Amino acid sequence: MTTTPDWIMIGGDGPESYNQQSSYQRALLEATKDKMTKAISANLDLDLISNRFIVADFGCASGPNTFVAVQNIIDAVEEKYRRETGQNPADNIEFQVLFNDFSLNDFNTLFQTLPPGRRYFSAGVPGSFFERVLPKESFHIGVMSYAFHFTSKIPKGIMDRDSPLWNKDMQCTGFNPAVKKAYLDQYSIDTKILLDARAEELVPGGLMLLLGSCLRDGVKMSETPKGTVMDFIGESLSDLAKQGVTEQEKVDTFRTSIYFAEQGEIRQIIEENGKFTIEAFEDIIHAKNEFPFDPKTLAISFKAFYGAFISAHFGVEVMRKAFELVEVKAREQISRLHNSKPGMQYLIVLRKN
Ligand SMILES: C[S@@+](CC[C@H](N)C(=O)[O-])C[C@H]1O[C@@H](n2cnc3c(N)ncnc32)[C@H](O)[C@@H]1O
Ligand SMILES: [Mg+2]
């Protein structure tokens, strides 16, 4: 079994950084602000809002989206407190935000760009969210934004050419049922471990807010715009191997530890885990719902997301060349994108049982 390189976003705040290129992810946070506020108002016990309130973001990257996510939560908690007690939250509540990601994440950029005027104390929590990273009962609301689609490793057999599970593509396209099952099984195991860990770390009655992308039931990854661009990336890397720019062996051993689950699969995993009640599972439709089908924008935003991961395996030069080809492919095959089936963006609200 192979462990993939840690899934690190491009750090710093240069033109290709995650910091500058994550507006797609941010659009979902902005679109869900009202729904997050309502969910917190309806599902968080007033008793939990006392002198010390802890918010944790798992898979925070280097910002700025994490600041939007945690501020939305703090605003909602303050609003509920003000409305239901008539008191000023600033007089009575101190907030702390725990920022979690892999230790190699660019925490320097994160801490250097913390919003001025924020009303919370900050701390970094390094480590994989597939393990316990915090003491028992140590936070009140957790959030995961575009971080609930990872597996801890590439499923067994996926990179073995002699296995019926061998996957020629870099992602789970959804077309090979055996490959799809292997990814789903791994995702299910990992996600249950993740939920177990968060359930221990959350205070009783605490909430987890999950925001991200999934598939509508019955839709295959490669049928969506995101899956189509991921296929362009895989095809571009294969082209570079054919041109001798990189080795075929490297292409064959490059697979993503990402599984975009179907809506029903996510629901089933959470229910089987049994540590949380699903208070809401919302289908969020917003202006930036799908990527704009502009070849240049697509190449840049997917580079921000996947670039560091590809660099770690192929080196930065191959990564750059691959995304030049992705832009060409997106231009040549724009109809594939226009004919794709919509993906889905969600807000899931979980309450610890
Ligand atoms: C697509 S980014 C999302 C960042 C940010 N939450 C947002 O909404 O823009 C996914 C983040 O999850 C982190 N991540 C992936 N697997 C992780 C793990 N096992 N433990 C902790 N962080 C992880 C990555 O390092 C990355 O920063
Ligand atoms: Mg990984």
Side-chain angles (χ1 to χ4, degrees):
M1 223 168 291
T2 321
T3 308
T4 54
D6 287 349
W7 196 283
I8 308 298
M9 302 293 113
I10 294 185
D13 60 2
E16 290 178 351
S17 64
Y18 190 74
N19 199 312
Q20 296 291 321
Q21 293 298 339
S22 50
S23 63
Y24 169 76
Q25 285 82 353
R26 190 152 57 254
L28 179 63
L29 281 163
E30 282 158 4
T32 48
K33 181 168 165 70
D34 287 349
K35 289 201 160 71
M36 283 166 81
T37 304
K38 285 199 189 97
I40 288 170
S41 172
N43 296 299
L44 185 74
D45 268 0
L46 186 61
D47 298 349
L48 290 183
I49 312 178
S50 62
N51 52 339
R52 192 154 160 253
F53 196 93
I54 318 281
V55 177
D57 185 3
F58 298 90
C60 61
S62 50
N65 296 352
T66 183
F67 307 133
V68 179
V70 301
Q71 193 59 52
N72 284 356
I73 291 171
I74 291 172
D75 287 349
V77 171
E78 289 196 326
E79 187 182 312
K80 179 181 169 92
Y81 182 83
R82 195 179 292 112
R83 196 180 52 245
E84 295 186 13
T85 67
Q87 298 191 52
N88 180 5
D91 294 339
N92 301 324
I93 310 170
E94 291 191 315
F95 288 94
Q96 184 177 35
V97 175
L98 306 172
F99 294 98
N100 161 259
D101 211 295
F102 287 122
S103 55
L104 287 172
N105 180 55
D106 186 359
F107 281 105
N108 287 332
T109 293
L110 175 86
F111 290 132
Q112 283 159 15
T113 55
L114 279 165
R118 67 194 171 282
R119 220 178 69 64
Y120 54 83
F121 299 100
S122 310
V125 177
S128 170
F129 52 51
F130 292 121
E131 294 165 8
R132 284 279 307 280
V133 289
L134 290 166
K136 284 186 178 155
E137 303 193 2
S138 58
F139 69 93
H140 298 88
I141 297 184
V143 61
M144 293 185 80
S145 159
Y146 284 97
F148 196 61
H149 50 253
F150 291 103
T151 59
S152 67
K153 52 177 157 285
I154 307 292
K156 210 175 172 167
I158 291 293
M159 290 193 287
D160 174 1
R161 272 182 178 273
D162 301 325
S163 158
L165 294 182
W166 184 68
N167 188 28
K168 67 175 176 45
D169 301 300
M170 73 170 222
Q171 62 160 332
C172 178
T173 59
F175 287 105
N176 179 340
V179 170
K180 158 120 186 158
K181 182 173 184 308
Y183 267 98
L184 173 58
D185 288 350
Q186 185 65 50
Y187 179 73
S188 174
I189 290 168
D190 289 332
T191 301
K192 286 172 186 170
I193 291 171
L194 184 155
L195 292 171
D196 282 343
R198 298 301 83 74
E200 290 200 31
E201 295 163 353
L202 259 176
V203 304
L207 307 179
M208 281 297 295
L209 307 180
L210 311 174
L211 298 107
S213 296
C214 66
L215 295 171
R216 294 177 190 283
D217 291 341
V219 171
K220 295 177 177 55
M221 189 59 198
S222 283
E223 294 174 331
T224 67
K226 197 178 285 157
T228 304
V229 180
M230 285 174 71
D231 282 345
F232 290 158
I233 299 172
E235 289 159 20
S236 299
L237 291 165
S238 291
D239 289 357
L240 292 175
K242 282 187 202 110
Q243 294 166 18
V245 178
T246 188
E247 297 98 70
Q248 188 61 42
E249 163 73 12
K250 278 210 167 144
V251 177
D252 286 348
T253 54
F254 182 67
R255 297 293 175 268
T256 56
S257 53
I258 290 187
Y259 177 70
F260 286 103
E262 293 179 21
Q263 182 181 8
E265 293 168 351
I266 295 181
R267 207 176 258 286
Q268 187 179 346
I269 289 168
I270 295 168
E271 283 166 2
E272 282 174 4
N273 168 262
K275 301 276 164 59
F276 292 90
T277 301
I278 302 175
E279 299 289 357
F281 197 133
E282 307 242 11
D283 183 346
I284 310 289
I285 294 174
H286 61 85
K288 284 204 177 181
N289 225 14
E290 293 298 358
F291 296 93
F293 294 157
D294 168 57
K296 189 166 210 82
T297 311
L298 283 172
I300 290 175
S301 51
F302 276 73
K303 181 154 67 177
F305 194 97
Y306 295 104
F309 185 61
I310 294 172
S311 289
H313 191 84
F314 293 95
V316 73
E317 275 312 305
V318 173
M319 183 277 279
R320 283 191 203 290
K321 290 206 168 85
F323 281 97
E324 285 167 21
L325 290 181
V326 167
E327 188 180 331
V328 173
K329 285 185 195 296
R331 188 162 293 124
E332 287 170 355
Q333 302 178 50
I334 199 82
S335 64
R336 242 170 101 181
L337 286 163
H338 285 295
N339 293 331
S340 57
K341 297 182 182 173
M344 174 174 161
Q345 324 298 315
Y346 58 74
L347 167 66
I348 305 172
V349 180
L350 302 181
R351 190 217 292 252
K352 179 178 159 180
N353 290 331

